[in-house]
């Protein structure tokens, strides 16, 4: 490793350390580096832009690996602010937060950033409770940071817009889903799938561009870059539209991407919960024949009569499963618990597709032989990009698709979490934030 003198930034200390050749990841041609103290990233104005230039100039490059440590005084100040979320930003806010893995939610005062040039500020009217919220407040995925304000099914009314905002105005009905930022420059962002950006920023428990922690929609106010805000059509009631920002797009996107949106296609939906019941509605609106697959025989009547499914399979009934072998073009599996997928693969026709959208805590067992013998596919999908999310809402408005909800008050949220854990909800809890959230 070659070493070069880098002028010390006033905000960061830069240390060079030797690294093996096979781990070299950064190179620059000049000895001048610009250090962004906020993102701790290196910027070089004459870094080669094409792969051809990279090969030509690599022999002249200086390979470096850089670690950053903030100025001790500034680091102390930053930690002090981090311990006082209500002083982190200029806009006062309040909501419900979990403080530890017990998952108990209680009143929480914090702050939002001032409305920037491209920002939309809105009053939160309703916020859906997603099963992911339950996982996150309890840190069951190991990624939670506390205090944690959940909520990524957020709808409300615009109260302020930045000077360069083009798509929204004060009074508009808007929503924010599972993400509030991305790099906006990678291939995924350029192709409208910001949800797969390596630097995608989650609506809550994420780290924003300014280094602060993001807080979700169990709160009275949101401020978000307009790119990550969607318009809620007037035909959709706000409360029943809120879950579409997660559950809706989670089902809509794979139906479109995997070609399960054609009239006459036979689609299976595994699980008739918060995700599954919305999936049945979207698939039927797209013209598909829909079979609900569930462990509970008691759900047959509601699947067919209430949600419009064409047929129902009890996955624990071997005779029913055997009779349905090779009948489905595709299956959307919404189950978030560990479960066998081999019986589901057996239900697929040749070239059939099993798409997983649930997130079990432990790995599932994947049998390969049944895939080989039918050229079958096991895939996945996670929400959708911003353009597709708006398309989903417009499609829902056109076909009168909403989630089946139980509206609750903010002081009921811990009880709702307990019921959600037991599966005791049909099919999505939605918090009436505007009327019931009281400042702590």
């Amino acid at each position: 490793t070659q070493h070069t003198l880098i002028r010390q930034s006033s905000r960061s200390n830069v240390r060079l350390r030797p690294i093996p050749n096979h781990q070299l990841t950064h190179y620059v041609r000049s000895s001048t580096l610009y250090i962004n103290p906020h993102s701790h990233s290196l910027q070089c104005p004459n870094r080669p832009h094409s792969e051809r230039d990279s090969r030509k100039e690599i022999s002249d490059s200086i390979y470096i690996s850089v670690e950053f440590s903030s100025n001790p005084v500034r680091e102390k100040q930053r930690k002090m602010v981090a311990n006082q979320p209500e002083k982190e930003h200029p806009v006062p806010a309040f909501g419900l937060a979990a403080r530890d893995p017990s998952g108990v939610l209680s009143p929480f005062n914090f702050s939002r950033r001032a409305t920037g040039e491209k920002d939309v500020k809105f009053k939160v009217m309703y916020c859906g409770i997603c099963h992911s919220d339950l996982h996150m407040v309890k840190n069951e995925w190991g990624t939670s940071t506390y205090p944690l304000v959940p909520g990524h099914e957020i709808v409300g009314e615009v109260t302020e817009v930045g000077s360069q905002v083009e798509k929204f105005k004060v009074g508009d009905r808007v929503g924010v889903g599972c993400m509030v930022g991305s790099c906006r420059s990678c291939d995924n962002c350029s192709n409208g799938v910001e949800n797969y950006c390596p630097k995608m920023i989650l609506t809550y428990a994420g780290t924003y561009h300014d280094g602060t922690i993001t807080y979700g929609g169990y709160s009275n106010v949101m401020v978000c870059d307009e790119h990550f805000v969607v318009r809620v059509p007037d035909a959709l009631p706000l409360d029943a539209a809120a879950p579409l920002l997660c559950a809706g797009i989670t089902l809509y996107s794979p139906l479109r991407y995997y070609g399960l949106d054609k009239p006459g296609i036979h689609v299976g939906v595994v699980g008739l919960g918060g995700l599954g019941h919305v999936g049945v509605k979207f698939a039927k609106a797209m013209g598909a024949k829909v079979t609900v697959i569930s462990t509970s025989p008691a759900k047959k009547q509601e699947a067919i009569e209430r949600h419009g499914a064409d047929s129902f399979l009890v996955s624990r009934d071997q005779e029913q499963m055997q009779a349905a072998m090779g009948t489905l073009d595709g299956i959307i599996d919404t189950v978030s618990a560990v479960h066998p997928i081999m019986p589901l693969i057996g239900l697929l026709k040749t070239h059939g597709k099993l798409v997983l959208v649930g997130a079990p805590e432990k790995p599932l067992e994947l049998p390969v032989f049944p895939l080989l013998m039918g050229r079958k596919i096991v895939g996945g999908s996670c929400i959708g990009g911003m353009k597709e999310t708006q398309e989903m809402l417009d499609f829902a408005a056109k076909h009168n698709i909403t989630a089946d909800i139980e509206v609750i008050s903010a002081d009921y949220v811990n009880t709702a979490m307990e019921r959600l854990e037991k599966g005791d909800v049909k099919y999505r809890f939605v918090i009436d934030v505007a009327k019931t959230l009281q400042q702590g």
Side-chain angles (χ1 to χ4, degrees):
T1 305
Q2 299 182 32
H3 289 254
T4 185
L5 177 64
I6 300 180
R7 190 172 186 177
Q8 183 167 310
S9 164
S10 62
R11 296 191 180 186
S12 300
N13 300 320
V14 183
R15 303 191 301 274
L16 294 180
R17 61 181 173 85
I19 51 175
N21 288 339
H22 69 279
Q23 293 182 2
L24 298 177
T25 55
H26 297 287
Y27 63 88
V28 293
R29 185 124 191 267
S30 82
S31 60
T32 303
L33 285 175
Y34 295 88
I35 302 166
N36 184 327
H38 299 293
S39 63
H40 282 183
S41 63
L42 300 175
Q43 300 171 353
C44 182
N46 59 349
R47 179 175 178 176
H49 292 289
S50 70
E51 190 62 31
R52 180 178 178 182
D53 289 340
S54 300
R55 289 195 296 268
K56 181 178 70 174
E57 300 183 2
I58 197 167
S59 60
D60 300 327
S61 302
I62 301 168
Y63 291 90
I64 63 172
S65 177
V66 180
E67 295 177 347
F68 292 88
S69 63
S70 299
N71 179 287
V73 175
R74 291 183 179 275
E75 181 68 12
K76 183 177 180 180
Q77 293 172 340
R78 186 194 67 78
K79 288 182 178 179
M80 288 177 63
V81 172
N83 292 328
Q84 297 177 299
E86 69 274 16
K87 296 182 179 180
E88 200 166 37
H89 296 294
V91 179
F94 61 93
L96 298 173
R99 269 54 173 214
D100 55 55
S102 70
V104 175
L105 293 152
S106 58
F108 176 61
N109 292 298
F110 64 107
S111 54
R112 298 287 190 190
R113 69 178 183 270
T115 307
E117 292 180 341
K118 297 291 288 181
D119 284 340
V120 173
K121 179 182 178 183
F122 66 93
K123 176 183 178 181
V124 177
M125 305 298 289
Y126 298 95
C127 185
I129 297 180
C130 176
H131 207 281
S132 298
D133 298 344
L134 181 60
H135 288 298
M136 289 295 289
V137 296
K138 293 178 176 290
N139 197 26
E140 291 177 345
W141 291 333
T143 59
S144 302
T145 56
Y146 298 99
L148 185 148
V149 178
H152 55 210
E153 300 177 346
I154 315 162
V155 293
E157 184 176 305
V158 176
T159 58
E160 184 180 15
V161 296
S163 60
Q164 295 185 23
V165 168
E166 299 176 351
K167 298 188 294 183
F168 305 100
K169 66 182 185 303
V170 172
D172 283 349
R173 293 155 34 103
V174 296
V176 168
C178 300
M179 57 182 167
V180 293
S182 68
C183 78
R184 306 289 298 278
S185 61
C186 68
D187 286 345
N188 287 328
C189 290
S190 299
N191 291 318
V193 283
E194 303 93 337
N195 49 311
Y196 299 123
C197 172
K199 297 181 180 179
M200 186 263 283
I201 302 172
L202 295 172
T203 301
Y204 66 87
T207 302
Y208 201 64
H209 300 299
D210 61 5
T212 60
I213 300 301
T214 57
Y215 296 118
Y218 295 16
S219 59
N220 66 324
V221 63
M222 286 290 296
V223 178
C224 186
D225 185 298
E226 74 163 331
H227 184 79
F228 297 92
V229 179
V230 290
R231 184 182 303 278
V232 179
D234 291 338
L236 295 176
L238 280 178
D239 53 1
L244 298 181
L245 295 170
C246 176
I249 188 60
T250 295
L251 275 295
Y252 182 90
S253 184
L255 287 169
R256 290 295 196 201
Y257 179 79
Y258 287 97
L260 303 178
D261 56 347
K262 312 287 191 301
I265 289 283
H266 194 172
V267 177
V269 177
V270 185
L272 193 67
L275 294 177
H277 87 287
V278 175
V280 173
K281 294 180 181 184
F282 275 118
K284 286 297 295 180
M286 293 171 181
K289 178 182 178 182
V290 179
T291 295
V292 171
I293 305 163
S294 173
T295 59
S296 174
K299 292 186 176 182
K300 179 177 181 178
Q301 184 175 356
E302 60 188 282
I304 294 175
E305 296 181 5
R306 183 173 179 176
H307 302 300
D310 298 283
S311 56
F312 186 90
L313 281 177
V314 179
S315 58
R316 291 173 177 167
D317 187 319
Q318 297 301 316
E319 290 186 7
Q320 287 188 28
M321 294 292 283
Q322 186 64 34
M325 292 278 283
T327 62
L328 302 180
D329 296 289
I331 297 173
I332 307 293
D333 185 349
T334 72
V335 177
S336 59
V338 175
H339 60 289
I341 61 174
M342 186 168 180
L344 301 177
I345 294 173
L347 296 175
L348 294 172
K349 297 178 182 178
T350 300
H351 306 146
K353 304 159 187 175
L354 171 61
V355 185
L356 307 176
V357 297
E361 296 175 33
K362 297 180 181 179
L364 302 180
E365 183 177 338
L366 177 63
V368 175
F369 196 70
L371 302 180
L372 303 179
M373 298 310 295
R375 195 183 278 169
K376 299 175 183 179
I377 294 172
V378 176
S381 185
C382 182
I383 58 172
M386 296 313 303
K387 181 179 179 182
E388 188 174 45
T389 302
Q390 186 64 65
E391 176 188 297
M392 176 274 302
L393 286 175
D394 295 340
F395 182 91
K398 180 178 179 180
H399 296 276
N400 195 30
I401 296 173
T402 57
D404 289 19
I405 62 171
E406 180 178 335
V407 178
I408 63 169
S409 61
D411 60 7
Y412 189 77
V413 68
N414 287 307
T415 302
M417 287 290 190
E418 293 173 2
R419 287 179 54 192
L420 178 61
E421 194 165 22
K422 299 173 184 176
D424 179 24
V425 57
K426 292 185 179 179
Y427 286 89
R428 209 70 159 184
F429 287 117
V430 174
I431 306 169
D432 187 340
V433 174
K435 292 181 181 179
T436 69
L437 182 61
Q438 301 299 320
Q439 185 167 8

